[in-house]
């Protein structure tokens, strides 16, 4: 083991020891409640809060707190459905409201699911560690939207909040009628007595808040699936009308009174810093109000790098002045950095380091092996390319900060703003706007730090900071570049006896935790090897390891994270193994999935729906599990004028119990298009420490005329709901690559997929 490997091992052992102490200390304490916040809800006149998730207006309108950011994934519909189901109201009676920054709205699931245990590991160590991480997540109180975790995390607390509110209303009605609680029931926003008396929820709200104050989550029974009236139904989205008529408000739509605009001049190369700038050269340009160096606000804690902002009365004036601002730059320490050098460094690390072994069974010294199959796969850096430009609006006035931001992490944004402005956390308020695309990019708070730094330099005026598309593309925190090597050993009958998988890349968590939370990034990062070590295929001898290589290029969470490239590596190599063994790739998968009937059912559903490929086209198949869900895809592909054309993608998904089938289908379609954009054209390259790509001309997204027909099959399940927003991204690339091999005989081992 290398010295680095020994240090990681010592860190893990120390962490386990500390975890054991925490387990003993916390084991005697009850779980922290998630029903009542420490800060009041922002309610309309006459509304009464029954708990931290539900408030009632006199007209019977139910305000439901949605603690996750709406970025197109449908949380403003799916999460209210959980409350409405238990509260016995229709979705048309719901008004969505934003939460205060409070620990009860923390995303516990996303932290718990980040542990690097194999999914088949259900032992006490895994269970104890997951319990511990859930406790830590609750204590940290990070409000986080990502990891396909919104419904998974809200499934119990939001249903409990609805059920508790319902019990409070029943108790209030019974007290008002001098009746027994057992003689009352609820339906469609009313409490109904067995003798026919009825009382609307709105009329009971005040009494319910008093009469039911002592009711806790463990005092109520949640509905069983057979009794659901809303959950599982394809209900229309609550935000559709506003998005159709233009009244929906995204971050860039913030318009506080007196607002001015800021545009940036940003470092031309990675790691460059501001040496000097001539503010006087632009001060007399039309509308210019101020010139502010925002570099110090970042303090190495955010991904954007150095920059200087110009403030003006209009965005165009600010942009013109920023472009004219003379700035001298000091190059960073990696002036000669290039994609070729980065890839060479990954290859050296694979040769020289053992890496962290995430999963190992059996041995690689297999008797009876008669053939060895080897392959190497590559994936590039990728940008997020969310359509809403990076922006943030901030005001610093009278010792307080106000933010208007489209962010996936409001609690981290508030902490960042407080740090930059030099105020207490309690003196920062945030209006979380709709996100015009997140994909992980808005887990970062670099734009918040910059906007607050500019606002701090103004005299109480709110300022809206907007990046250009070029700045977004060239100053992103990218999906890591990765390299993976595989070796498989086959028996005389073609049986797959052993599987060795070793990969190398940067570790997102190591950078993210440092820049966003100020925490050290050490130890194994599950995202580096997810999708490789945790697959469902029953191979008797396996070893899956990863070598973490520090990335000079800033890296961040990208939709489906490590699964996005590891699924391509793993599924493509399995196809190669099947070919070498003389087996049909689908038949081999079926054999290896015999111990996982749910996964097998997903595969069979996709294959059956896909049928036979039309003449001139071929089908490629991939299966992958991520974020708790299993997805099988069949891609129907042709080659037209030397280019890969994807006509149809059949996608079967088992995501547990489905809250809203319409939203699942929308997310699958979105994921396929997102994944295809990356599979066919996505690539960020580095030359001379500079990002080469700058806009959609050289970093293209899939166009309407290139988009395939997507057919979604939701495999029925009564299991706990699992992730939906990301699991359909990873299988796209390997499915297309498999179809290309059938058509051309070319084995494409690098992303994006390009014919030779």
């Amino acid at each position: 083991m290398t010295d680095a490997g020994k240090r990681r091992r010592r860190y893990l052992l120390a962490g386990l020891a500390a975890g054991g102490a925490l387990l003993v200390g916390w084991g005697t304490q009850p779980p922290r409640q998630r029903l009542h916040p420490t800060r009041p809800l922002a309610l309309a006149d006459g509304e009464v809060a029954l708990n931290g998730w539900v408030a009632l207006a006199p007209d019977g309108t139910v305000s439901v707190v949605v603690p996750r950011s709406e970025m197109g994934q449908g949380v403003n519909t799916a999460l209210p459905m959980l409350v409405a189901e238990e509260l016995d109201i229709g979705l048309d009676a719901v008004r969505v409201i934003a939460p205060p920054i409070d620990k009860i709205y923390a995303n516990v699931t996303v932290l718990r699911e980040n542990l690097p245990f194999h999914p088949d590991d259900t032992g006490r160590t895994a269970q104890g560690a997951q319990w511990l991480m859930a406790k830590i997540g609750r204590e940290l109180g990070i409000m986080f939207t990502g990891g396909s975790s919104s419904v998974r995390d809200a499934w119990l607390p939001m249903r409990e909040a609805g059920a508790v509110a319902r019990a409070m209303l029943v108790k209030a009605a019974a007290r008002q009628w001098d009746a027994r609680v057992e003689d009352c029931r609820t339906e469609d926003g009313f409490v109904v007595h067995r003798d026919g008396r009825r009382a609307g929820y709105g009329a009971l709200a005040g009494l319910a808040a008093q009469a039911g104050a002592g009711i806790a989550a463990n005092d109520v029974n949640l509905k069983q699936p057979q009794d659901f009236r809303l959950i599982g139904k394809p209900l229309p989205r609550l935000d559709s009308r506003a998005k159709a008529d233009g009244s929906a408000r995204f971050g860039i739509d913030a318009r506080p009174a007196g607002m001015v605009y800021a545009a940036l001049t940003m470092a031309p190369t990675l790691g460059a810093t501001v040496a000097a700038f001539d503010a006087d050269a632009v001060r007399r340009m039309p509308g210019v109000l101020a010139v502010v160096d925002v570099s110090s606000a970042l303090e190495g804690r955010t991904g954007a790098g150095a920059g200087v902002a110009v403030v003006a009365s209009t965005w165009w004036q600010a942009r013109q002045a920023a472009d004219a601002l003379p700035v001298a730059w000091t190059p960073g320490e990696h002036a000669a950095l290039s994609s070729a050098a980065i890839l060479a460094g990954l290859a050296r690390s694979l040769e020289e380091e053992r890496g962290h072994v995430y999963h190992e069974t059996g041995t690689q010294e297999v008797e009876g092996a008669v053939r060895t199959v080897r392959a190497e796969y590559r994936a590039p850096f990728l940008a997020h390319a969310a359509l809403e430009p990076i922006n943030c609006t901030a005001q610093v006035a009278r010792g307080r900060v106000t933010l208007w931001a489209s962010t996936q992490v409001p609690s981290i944004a508030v902490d960042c703003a407080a740090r930059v402005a030099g105020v207490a956390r309690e003196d920062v308020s945030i209006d979380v706007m709709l996100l015009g695309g997140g994909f992980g990019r808005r887990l970062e708070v670099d734009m918040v730090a910059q906007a607050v730094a500019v606002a701090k330099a103004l005299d109480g005026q709110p300022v809206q900071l907007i990046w250009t598309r070029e700045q977004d593309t060239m100053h992103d925190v990218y999906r890591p570049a990765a390299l993976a090597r595989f070796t498989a050993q086959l028996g005389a009958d073609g049986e797959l006896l052993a599987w060795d998988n070793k990969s190398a890349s940067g570790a997102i968590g190591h950078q993210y935790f440092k820049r966003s939370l100020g925490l050290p990034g050490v130890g194994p990062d599950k995202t580096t090897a997810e999708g490789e070590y945790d697959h469902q295929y029953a191979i008797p001898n396996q070893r899956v390891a990863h070598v973490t290589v520090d990335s000079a290029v800033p890296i961040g969470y990208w939709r489906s994270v490590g699964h996005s490239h590891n699924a391509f590596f793993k599924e493509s190599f399995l196809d190669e193994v099947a070919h070498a063994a003389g087996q049909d790739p689908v038949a081999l998968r079926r054999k290896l999935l015999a111990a996982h009937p749910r996964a097998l059912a997903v595969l069979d559903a996709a294959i059956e729906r896909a049928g036979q490929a039309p003449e001139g086209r071929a089908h490629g198949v991939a299966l992958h599990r991520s974020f708790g869900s299993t997805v099988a895809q069949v891609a129907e592909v042709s080659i037209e004028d030397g280019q890969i054309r994807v006509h149809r993608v059949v996608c079967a998904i088992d995501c547990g119990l489905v809250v809203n089938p319409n939203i699942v289908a929308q997310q699958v379609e979105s994921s396929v298009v997102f994944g295809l954009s990356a599979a066919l054209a996505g690539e960020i390259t580095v030359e001379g420490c500079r990002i080469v790509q700058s806009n959609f001309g050289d970093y293209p997204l899939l166009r309407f005329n290139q988009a395939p027909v997507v057919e979604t099959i939701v495999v029925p399940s009564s299991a706990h709901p699992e992730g939906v927003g990301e699991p359909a991204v990873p299988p796209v690339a390997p499915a297309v690559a498999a179809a290309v091999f059938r058509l051309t005989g070319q084995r494409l081992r690098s992303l994006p997929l390009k014919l030779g």
Side-chain angles (χ1 to χ4, degrees):
M1 181 182 293
T2 65
D3 289 341
K6 290 176 181 177
R7 286 194 298 271
R8 284 195 296 271
R9 179 64 56 85
R10 287 197 294 270
Y11 173 80
L12 281 172
L13 292 174
L16 287 172
L22 288 170
L23 281 168
V24 172
W26 278 343
T28 59
Q29 299 178 9
R32 181 87 67 166
Q33 62 89 21
R34 296 184 70 181
L35 196 59
H36 301 289
T38 58
R39 302 177 69 177
L41 302 180
L43 301 178
D45 290 343
E47 279 192 304
V48 177
L50 299 188
N51 53 57
W53 305 82
V54 180
L56 286 173
D59 65 357
T61 299
V62 179
S63 292
V64 175
V65 171
V66 174
R68 303 293 168 251
S69 302
E70 176 60 74
M71 50 188 177
Q73 82 281 37
V75 292
N76 277 355
T77 301
L79 299 194
M81 286 177 67
L82 303 180
V83 171
E85 179 66 73
E86 298 291 346
L87 192 51
D88 276 339
I89 58 172
L91 203 56
D92 56 352
V94 167
R95 181 177 78 98
V96 173
I97 62 173
I101 301 299
D102 196 281
K103 288 185 176 182
I104 73 164
Y105 308 115
N107 191 327
V108 174
T109 297
V110 76
L111 193 61
R112 183 184 65 228
E113 295 298 313
N114 207 39
L115 290 166
F117 288 104
H118 193 279
D120 293 339
D121 185 352
T122 57
R124 295 181 64 183
T125 300
Q127 292 177 352
Q130 289 168 350
W131 178 85
L132 175 62
M133 290 305 288
K135 293 283 286 186
I136 292 173
R138 179 63 183 85
E139 297 301 322
L140 289 175
I142 299 174
M143 295 169 66
F144 183 106
T145 304
S148 297
S149 60
S150 293
V151 170
R152 287 192 288 169
D153 188 71
W155 178 246
L156 283 179
M158 292 193 73
R159 289 174 63 210
E160 288 172 347
V164 166
R166 176 182 175 274
M168 294 170 70
L169 290 161
V170 170
K171 186 175 180 181
R175 178 174 293 185
Q176 182 172 278
W177 296 330
D178 194 21
R180 298 191 313 157
V181 166
E182 294 79 3
D183 292 333
C184 301
R185 59 183 175 84
T186 57
E187 64 178 25
D188 297 328
F190 288 86
V191 179
V192 182
H193 191 268
R194 63 184 301 177
D195 64 10
R197 283 178 289 178
R198 297 164 63 87
Y201 285 177
L204 293 169
L207 182 58
Q210 300 171 10
I215 298 176
N218 56 5
D219 295 328
V220 298
N221 294 318
L222 301 180
K223 288 185 181 180
Q224 296 300 305
Q226 64 269 19
D227 298 322
F228 288 159
R229 297 171 58 247
L230 298 180
I231 292 175
K233 301 297 189 296
L235 302 180
R237 287 176 58 149
L238 295 177
D239 56 1
S240 296
R241 180 180 294 275
K243 290 181 176 179
D245 66 20
S247 61
R249 294 173 66 242
F250 294 82
I252 205 167
D253 296 322
R255 292 293 184 273
M259 187 185 81
V260 293
Y261 293 85
L264 290 163
T265 294
M266 299 176 73
T269 57
L270 297 171
T273 56
V274 176
F277 61 94
D278 184 5
D280 290 337
V282 299
R283 287 191 195 278
R284 294 187 179 181
M285 290 183 68
V288 171
L289 303 171
V291 181
V292 183
D293 186 347
V294 298
S295 305
S296 61
L298 305 180
E299 295 182 354
R301 291 273 300 273
T302 54
V308 181
V310 178
V311 184
S313 301
T314 71
W315 158 248
W316 183 247
Q317 291 171 336
R319 181 70 265 150
Q320 293 295 101
D323 289 341
L325 180 68
V327 182
W329 302 94
T330 301
E333 59 179 312
H334 302 289
L337 190 69
S338 69
S339 292
I342 292 168
L343 192 62
L346 295 178
R348 281 195 305 272
S349 296
L350 281 181
E351 293 288 347
E352 297 170 1
E353 294 192 46
R354 182 174 186 264
H356 176 76
V357 179
Y358 280 85
H359 183 61
E360 188 168 21
T361 59
T363 178
Q364 293 297 305
E365 304 297 327
V366 181
E367 295 184 5
V370 300
R371 184 172 182 183
T372 300
V373 184
R374 293 187 174 88
E376 180 176 291
Y377 297 87
R378 300 175 180 180
F381 293 106
L382 290 177
H384 293 84
L387 291 184
E388 181 189 5
I390 294 297
N391 68 88
C392 180
T393 303
Q395 181 179 32
V396 179
R398 297 178 295 279
R400 295 190 58 82
V401 180
T402 305
L403 298 175
W404 296 263
S406 47
T407 177
Q408 295 174 245
V409 283
S411 60
I412 296 177
V414 164
D415 287 340
C416 172
R419 175 177 56 83
V420 174
V423 302
R425 189 176 196 257
E426 293 71 24
D427 292 325
V428 181
S429 62
I430 184 169
D431 185 352
V432 179
M433 318 286 280
L434 295 175
L435 283 62
F439 315 131
R441 180 59 181 94
R442 288 179 165 92
L443 292 172
E444 307 291 332
V445 292
D446 39 9
M447 71 295 287
V448 175
Q450 292 172 332
V452 173
V454 175
K456 187 179 178 182
L458 303 179
D459 188 21
Q461 279 184 290
V463 59
Q464 184 172 100
L465 177 86
I466 305 175
W467 292 20
T468 65
R469 175 61 55 191
E470 288 78 10
Q471 288 171 338
D472 185 16
T473 305
M474 302 178 74
H475 296 83
D476 202 348
V477 286
Y478 304 93
R479 199 279 306 271
L483 185 67
R485 290 175 182 167
F486 290 82
T487 302
Q489 298 178 57
L490 304 178
D493 59 355
E495 182 182 3
L496 177 53
L497 300 177
W499 176 280
D500 188 20
N501 170 198
K502 188 178 178 185
S503 57
S505 73
I508 297 170
H510 290 187
Q511 289 197 12
Y512 183 82
F513 281 93
K514 180 179 180 181
R515 67 175 174 249
S516 295
L517 300 174
L519 299 175
V522 293
D525 180 352
K526 173 193 173 182
T527 67
T528 60
E530 61 186 1
E532 292 181 320
Y533 79 90
D534 49 358
H535 63 74
Q536 296 162 288
Y537 300 124
I539 303 170
N541 302 287
Q542 298 183 49
R543 181 173 60 203
V544 180
H546 183 271
V547 180
T548 295
V549 181
D550 291 339
S551 176
V553 176
I555 54 177
Y557 296 105
W558 189 90
R559 190 175 187 178
S560 74
V561 203
H563 292 284
S564 65
H565 48 84
N566 290 334
F568 170 69
F569 301 160
K570 178 258 298 179
E571 288 294 289
S572 294
F573 186 63
L574 189 61
D575 266 33
E576 293 206 47
V577 169
H579 181 73
Q583 299 187 49
D584 176 75
V586 174
L588 177 58
R589 286 177 171 84
R590 284 194 172 112
K591 183 188 302 182
L592 298 177
L593 292 172
H596 291 279
R598 286 180 65 182
L600 189 58
V602 173
L603 177 63
D604 287 343
I607 297 296
E608 181 179 356
R609 172 72 67 85
Q612 297 297 314
E615 185 176 353
R617 301 179 184 179
H619 282 171
V621 178
L623 179 136
H624 193 74
R625 175 173 58 185
S626 60
F627 308 97
S629 296
T630 300
V631 172
Q633 289 182 357
V634 181
E636 187 172 296
V637 178
S638 70
I639 307 299
E640 297 182 359
D641 299 323
Q643 301 296 313
I644 299 169
R645 175 66 191 274
V646 183
H647 301 271
R648 176 187 180 217
V649 176
V650 175
C651 181
I653 180 171
D654 180 347
C655 53
L657 196 150
V658 171
V659 174
N660 189 319
N662 276 351
I663 292 176
V664 173
Q666 291 164 3
Q667 284 291 79
V668 166
E669 292 164 9
S670 163
S671 296
V672 168
V673 170
F674 190 88
L676 270 180
S677 291
L680 299 179
E683 185 174 22
I684 289 292
T685 54
V686 185
E687 289 295 338
C689 208
R690 180 187 179 93
I691 302 299
V692 174
Q693 291 73 22
S694 63
N695 207 318
F696 292 133
D698 49 15
Y699 192 81
L701 304 183
L702 205 68
R703 297 180 180 273
F704 278 118
N705 65 341
Q706 298 171 310
V709 173
V710 181
E711 300 177 31
T712 303
I713 306 163
V714 179
V715 178
S717 175
S718 59
H720 188 284
E722 298 292 355
V724 171
E726 296 166 277
V729 173
V732 177
V736 173
V740 170
F741 176 74
R742 288 198 169 199
L743 288 167
T744 68
Q746 292 187 53
R747 190 67 76 178
L748 303 181
R749 299 189 180 95
S750 294
L751 292 173
L753 302 172
K754 297 177 180 178
L755 294 173

